[in-house]
Amino acid sequence: MCGIVGYIGKADAPTVLINGLRRLEYRGYDSAGLAVLDDERVVVSKAPGKVAALNERARSEWPAERFSRASLGIAHTRWATHGPPTEVNAHPHLDHSGEVALVHNGIIENYRALRARLEGKGHHFYSETDTEVLAHLIGECDKGNLFQAVCDALHQVEGTFGIAVLSAREPGRIITARRGSPIVIGVGDGETIIASDASAILAHTQRVIYLDDNDIAIVTADSVDIRDLNNIPVTREIAELGLDESAAEKGGYDHFMLKEIHEQPECLANAIRGRLDFNIGSSVLAGMGTSPRELAELGRVVLVGCGTSLHAGLVGEYAFEDLADLHSEVQQAAEFRYRNPILGSRDLVVAISQSGETADTLAAVREAKQKGAFVMSLCNVVGSTIARETGRGVYLHAGPEISVASTKAFTCQVAVLLMMALKLGRGRRFSREEGIRFAQEINSIPMLVERVIRQDAHIAGVAASYVANEHAFFIGRGPMYPVALEGALKLKEISYIHAEGYHAAELKHGPIALLTEGTPVIAIACDIPGKDKTLGNIEECKARGARILGLVTEGDHEAAECMDDFISIPRCHPLVATIPAVVALQLFSYHVARLRGCEIDQPRNLAKSVTVE
Ligand code: AGP
């Protein structure tokens, strides 16, 4: 959940590091710091708050020429896990000599025992962090070879890490290593960049190397020497990112979130392109790496994920049952990994994760593999840990999702899940004609979303009536129930309104007690099976004074007349309608948050990728 950057190359290392941190700020942003080697001394600058505060602090503390002549450094933007977000707890952390500096993403589980042992040897700690303990451990192990010292220290560590280490005793190199937290190395021309993800590398090179767990690398301006923790050489291929820097910019929008909502037609087209076969009425998902026979023999699909990805899985659950006659269930990844799941070779476990680094989802993948299940993933980040550890699955091709609130990843996840369900269904009872019709429905998704986005001004006007509320309820039935959950998550995480999603039938079993005059109920009443029951639930809410914002199918005037406000959703297959419906709720939530003056792209307390439990 933190962002780390390392640079070794030409000059002006502090500027390169700070610019890199800016690209990673969405991973965590409560404090930041950097360390450079200057005249073979380790010089450190840290500040609470965002990267801009660090930039100001460093430039005020250091003479300008120090910025220009330093050519090696490491930096960090933090999402606090141990100790509050203060300057003392900010990374980098130094060893007892002050000559070794470390930045770290992850959690050292046994840091207390290590700290006690080091304190017994006279070490003094200034922070409350696990990372400072690792810095001291490396210093303690340093017998004149920094690489070996890092290996020896990491052999004593339990937990996860993505680290970069420099030493005044060994100028000209950075040691980097990973276990459970991502590290990607950008191979430039006379310069090398280390980062938590590729968005910090784009400005320098498209050529990258992804470290695997327990890889450790000796990095110089012209070389990357990768070993395992036993000093055995390891070969990792250089990959091409294929991303342009503009993809990481806002493109003229006020927020990354609005940009990412509006680019969904294009992202969905990219997610679908080349993956539908209208001749056989199926989908072409080569990454699944499974034969028709293997798919036909599957007995169950288990979808695991967290947050928005979990909600996408809930839509997938309906799709696999409706289209493929397959028993399917959704498990919250943290629950799945600890409940000792009953799994076997006829079970397909699909791990859903935009970042591909969510710790609980990664752990669920490892547990599913341990139990002998068929495991694959739906990820957006190419080369991410979950993608690599499952070894098969489908990439979303949604492009970098910078805003902490996930939008385009969700809709692309659902689109891919619909294609997976179509593929599985055509290997079972789904006919060619049914398959062709559903493939055509999927192919229309970008246009359906475009029709909702064109209502952006209308939705912004509707949102204005809901800005003052502190509570809101989202309700839906069938595949629109997970859409209600997702809509509530969007509103709560960016506007800080207490929003809850419920199955429409569930309100009367308790939550309706909370309705008072004017309480907003956002009701998904599209013209799909169960609509009339939902209209009945809406009447129950109106009888208690609730204000109803309805999502209704275009032309359904009967439903529209039941609402105080409404947004029109194009008529399409119920499973497909989940995508334009959620886009309406994304825009609604965005405009409510904007009108409330909220941060939106980096909401308080959140991070884009939750790489700790
Ligand atoms: C979504 O808006 C949230 N930011 C969060 O719930 C997110 O979906 C969750 O942390 C899972 O992330 P992942 O898809 O990268 O695994």
Side-chain angles (χ1 to χ4, degrees), residues 4 35 42 44 46 74-76 90-95 99-105 108 130-138 150 154 161-167 175:
I4 67 176
V42 178
V44 178
K46 305 198 269 192
I74 57 177
H76 184 274
H91 305 202
H93 287 287
L94 302 179
D95 75 332
E99 294 186 326
V100 175
L102 163 74
V103 291
H104 167 231
N105 178 22
I108 309 295
D130 54 341
T131 304
E132 190 184 10
V133 174
L134 179 55
H136 278 242
L137 188 59
I138 292 169
V150 175
L154 293 180
F161 52 80
I163 61 172
V165 190
L166 61 78
S167 170
I175 307 297

Coordinates of all heavy atoms in Angstrom, one line a residue, residues 4 35 42 44 46 74-76 90-95 99-105 108 130-138 150 154 161-167 175:
I4 N 7.2 2.9 -3.5 CA 8.6 3.2 -3.4 C 9.2 3.4 -4.8 O 8.7 2.9 -5.8 CB 9.4 2.0 -2.7 CG1 9.4 0.7 -3.5 CG2 8.8 1.8 -1.3 CD1 10.2 -0.4 -2.7
A35 N 16.0 9.6 0.3 CA 17.4 9.6 0.7 C 18.3 9.6 -0.6 O 18.0 8.9 -1.5 CB 17.7 8.4 1.6
V42 N 24.9 9.8 3.2 CA 23.4 9.6 3.0 C 22.7 10.8 3.6 O 22.9 11.2 4.7 CB 22.9 8.4 3.8 CG1 21.4 8.2 3.7 CG2 23.6 7.1 3.3
V44 N 19.0 12.7 4.0 CA 17.6 12.3 4.1 C 16.7 13.5 4.3 O 17.0 14.4 5.0 CB 17.3 11.3 5.2 CG1 15.9 10.9 5.3 CG2 18.2 10.0 5.1
K46 N 12.3 14.2 4.9 CA 11.1 13.5 5.1 C 10.0 14.6 5.5 O 10.4 15.6 6.1 CB 11.1 12.5 6.2 CG 12.2 11.4 6.0 CD 11.9 10.2 6.8 CE 12.5 10.2 8.2 NZ 12.5 8.9 8.9
I74 N 16.7 6.9 -3.1 CA 15.5 6.1 -2.9 C 14.4 6.9 -2.3 O 14.8 7.9 -1.6 CB 15.8 4.8 -2.0 CG1 16.3 5.2 -0.7 CG2 16.7 3.8 -2.8 CD1 16.6 4.1 0.3
A75 N 13.2 6.6 -2.5 CA 12.1 7.5 -2.0 C 10.9 6.6 -1.7 O 10.8 5.5 -2.1 CB 11.8 8.6 -3.0
H76 N 9.9 7.2 -0.9 CA 8.8 6.5 -0.4 C 7.6 7.4 -0.1 O 7.8 8.5 0.4 CB 9.3 5.8 0.9 CG 8.3 4.9 1.5 ND1 7.3 5.3 2.4 CD2 8.1 3.5 1.4 CE1 6.6 4.2 2.8 NE2 7.0 3.2 2.2
A90 N 8.0 8.3 8.9 CA 8.1 8.3 7.4 C 9.4 7.6 7.0 O 10.4 7.6 7.7 CB 8.1 9.7 6.9
H91 N 9.3 6.9 5.8 CA 10.5 6.3 5.3 C 11.2 7.4 4.4 O 10.6 8.4 4.0 CB 10.2 5.2 4.3 CG 9.3 4.1 4.9 ND1 9.3 2.8 4.5 CD2 8.5 4.1 6.0 CE1 8.4 2.1 5.2 NE2 8.0 2.9 6.1
P92 N 12.6 7.2 4.1 CA 13.5 6.1 4.4 C 13.8 6.0 5.9 O 13.8 7.0 6.6 CB 14.7 6.4 3.6 CG 14.3 7.5 2.6 CD 13.2 8.2 3.3
H93 N 14.2 4.8 6.3 CA 14.8 4.6 7.7 C 16.2 4.2 7.6 O 16.6 3.6 6.6 CB 14.0 3.6 8.4 CG 12.6 4.1 8.8 ND1 12.5 5.0 9.9 CD2 11.4 3.9 8.3 CE1 11.2 5.3 10.0 NE2 10.5 4.6 9.1
L94 N 17.0 4.6 8.6 CA 18.5 4.4 8.6 C 18.8 3.3 9.5 O 18.1 3.1 10.5 CB 19.2 5.7 8.9 CG 19.0 6.9 8.0 CD1 19.7 8.1 8.6 CD2 19.3 6.6 6.6
D95 N 20.0 2.7 9.3 CA 20.5 1.7 10.3 C 21.2 2.5 11.4 O 21.3 3.7 11.4 CB 21.5 0.7 9.6 CG 22.8 1.4 9.3 OD1 22.9 2.6 9.1 OD2 23.8 0.7 9.3
E99 N 24.5 5.1 7.7 CA 25.1 5.0 6.4 C 24.3 4.0 5.5 O 24.6 3.9 4.3 CB 26.5 4.5 6.5 CG 27.5 5.4 7.2 CD 28.9 5.0 7.2 OE1 29.1 3.7 7.2 OE2 29.8 5.8 7.0
V100 N 23.3 3.4 6.0 CA 22.4 2.5 5.2 C 21.0 3.1 5.3 O 20.5 3.3 6.4 CB 22.4 1.0 5.7 CG1 21.4 0.2 4.9 CG2 23.9 0.5 5.6
A101 N 20.3 3.3 4.1 CA 19.0 3.8 4.1 C 18.1 2.8 3.4 O 18.5 2.1 2.4 CB 18.9 5.1 3.4
L102 N 16.8 2.7 3.9 CA 15.9 1.6 3.4 C 14.5 2.2 3.2 O 14.0 3.0 4.1 CB 15.8 0.5 4.4 CG 14.6 -0.5 4.3 CD1 14.8 -1.4 3.2 CD2 14.5 -1.3 5.6
V103 N 13.8 1.9 2.1 CA 12.4 2.1 2.0 C 11.7 0.8 1.8 O 12.3 -0.1 1.2 CB 12.1 3.1 0.8 CG1 12.6 4.5 1.1 CG2 12.7 2.6 -0.5
H104 N 10.5 0.7 2.3 CA 9.9 -0.6 2.4 C 8.4 -0.5 2.2 O 7.7 0.4 2.7 CB 10.2 -1.2 3.8 CG 9.4 -2.3 4.2 ND1 8.7 -2.4 5.4 CD2 9.1 -3.5 3.6 CE1 8.1 -3.6 5.5 NE2 8.3 -4.3 4.5
N105 N 7.8 -1.5 1.4 CA 6.4 -1.6 1.3 C 6.1 -3.0 1.7 O 6.6 -4.0 1.2 CB 6.0 -1.4 -0.2 CG 4.5 -1.6 -0.4 OD1 3.7 -1.5 0.5 ND2 4.1 -1.9 -1.6
I108 N 6.6 -6.4 8.2 CA 7.5 -7.4 8.9 C 6.8 -7.9 10.1 O 6.6 -7.3 11.1 CB 8.8 -6.7 9.3 CG1 9.4 -5.9 8.2 CG2 9.8 -7.8 9.8 CD1 9.9 -6.6 7.0
D130 N 8.0 -1.0 11.7 CA 8.7 -2.3 11.5 C 9.9 -2.1 10.5 O 10.9 -2.8 10.6 CB 7.7 -3.3 10.9 CG 7.0 -2.8 9.6 OD1 6.9 -1.6 9.4 OD2 6.5 -3.7 8.9
T131 N 9.8 -1.1 9.7 CA 10.8 -0.9 8.6 C 12.1 -0.5 9.3 O 13.2 -0.9 8.8 CB 10.3 0.2 7.7 OG1 9.0 -0.2 7.1 CG2 11.3 0.5 6.6
E132 N 12.1 0.4 10.3 CA 13.3 0.8 10.9 C 14.1 -0.4 11.5 O 15.3 -0.5 11.5 CB 13.1 1.8 12.0 CG 14.3 2.5 12.5 CD 14.1 3.4 13.7 OE1 13.0 3.5 14.2 OE2 15.1 4.1 14.1
V133 N 13.3 -1.4 12.0 CA 13.9 -2.6 12.5 C 14.7 -3.3 11.4 O 15.8 -3.8 11.6 CB 12.9 -3.5 13.1 CG1 13.5 -4.9 13.6 CG2 12.2 -2.8 14.3
L134 N 14.1 -3.4 10.2 CA 14.7 -4.1 9.1 C 16.0 -3.3 8.7 O 17.0 -3.9 8.4 CB 13.8 -4.2 7.9 CG 14.4 -4.8 6.6 CD1 15.0 -6.2 6.9 CD2 13.3 -4.9 5.6
A135 N 15.9 -2.0 8.7 CA 17.1 -1.2 8.4 C 18.3 -1.5 9.3 O 19.4 -1.7 8.9 CB 16.8 0.3 8.4
H136 N 17.9 -1.5 10.6 CA 19.0 -1.8 11.6 C 19.5 -3.3 11.4 O 20.7 -3.5 11.6 CB 18.4 -1.7 13.0 CG 18.4 -0.2 13.5 ND1 19.1 0.2 14.6 CD2 17.8 0.9 13.0 CE1 19.0 1.5 14.8 NE2 18.1 1.9 13.8
L137 N 18.6 -4.2 11.1 CA 19.0 -5.6 10.9 C 20.0 -5.7 9.7 O 21.0 -6.4 9.8 CB 17.8 -6.4 10.6 CG 18.0 -8.0 10.6 CD1 18.6 -8.5 11.9 CD2 16.7 -8.7 10.3
I138 N 19.7 -5.0 8.7 CA 20.6 -5.0 7.5 C 22.0 -4.4 7.9 O 23.1 -5.0 7.6 CB 20.0 -4.1 6.3 CG1 18.8 -4.9 5.8 CG2 21.1 -3.9 5.2 CD1 18.0 -4.1 4.8
V150 N 21.8 -7.7 3.0 CA 20.3 -7.7 2.8 C 19.8 -9.1 2.7 O 18.8 -9.4 3.3 CB 20.0 -6.9 1.5 CG1 18.5 -7.0 1.2 CG2 20.4 -5.5 1.6
L154 N 17.0 -10.6 5.3 CA 15.7 -11.0 4.8 C 15.5 -12.5 5.2 O 14.3 -12.9 5.3 CB 15.6 -10.8 3.3 CG 15.6 -9.3 2.9 CD1 15.5 -9.2 1.3 CD2 14.5 -8.6 3.5
F161 N 7.6 -7.9 1.9 CA 8.4 -6.7 1.6 C 8.6 -6.4 0.2 O 8.6 -7.4 -0.6 CB 9.8 -6.8 2.3 CG 10.5 -8.1 1.9 CD1 11.2 -8.3 0.7 CD2 10.5 -9.2 2.8 CE1 11.9 -9.4 0.4 CE2 11.2 -10.4 2.5 CZ 11.8 -10.5 1.3
G162 N 8.7 -5.2 -0.2 CA 9.2 -4.7 -1.4 C 10.2 -3.6 -1.0 O 9.7 -2.6 -0.4
I163 N 11.5 -3.7 -1.2 CA 12.4 -2.8 -0.6 C 13.4 -2.3 -1.6 O 13.6 -2.9 -2.6 CB 13.2 -3.4 0.6 CG1 14.0 -4.6 0.1 CG2 12.3 -3.9 1.7 CD1 15.0 -5.2 1.2
A164 N 14.0 -1.1 -1.2 CA 15.2 -0.6 -1.9 C 16.1 -0.1 -0.9 O 15.7 0.5 0.1 CB 14.8 0.5 -2.9
V165 N 17.4 -0.4 -1.0 CA 18.4 -0.1 0.0 C 19.6 0.5 -0.6 O 20.1 0.1 -1.7 CB 18.9 -1.4 0.7 CG1 19.7 -1.1 1.9 CG2 17.7 -2.3 1.1
L166 N 20.1 1.6 0.0 CA 21.4 2.2 -0.5 C 22.3 2.3 0.7 O 21.9 2.2 1.9 CB 21.2 3.5 -1.2 CG 20.6 4.7 -0.4 CD1 21.6 5.3 0.6 CD2 20.0 5.7 -1.3
S167 N 23.6 2.4 0.4 CA 24.6 2.5 1.5 C 25.7 3.5 1.1 O 26.2 3.4 -0.1 CB 25.3 1.1 1.8 OG 26.4 1.3 2.7
I175 N 20.3 -2.0 -3.8 CA 19.8 -3.4 -3.7 C 18.3 -3.3 -3.5 O 17.7 -2.6 -2.8 CB 20.4 -4.1 -2.4 CG1 21.9 -3.9 -2.4 CG2 19.9 -5.6 -2.4 CD1 22.6 -4.6 -3.6

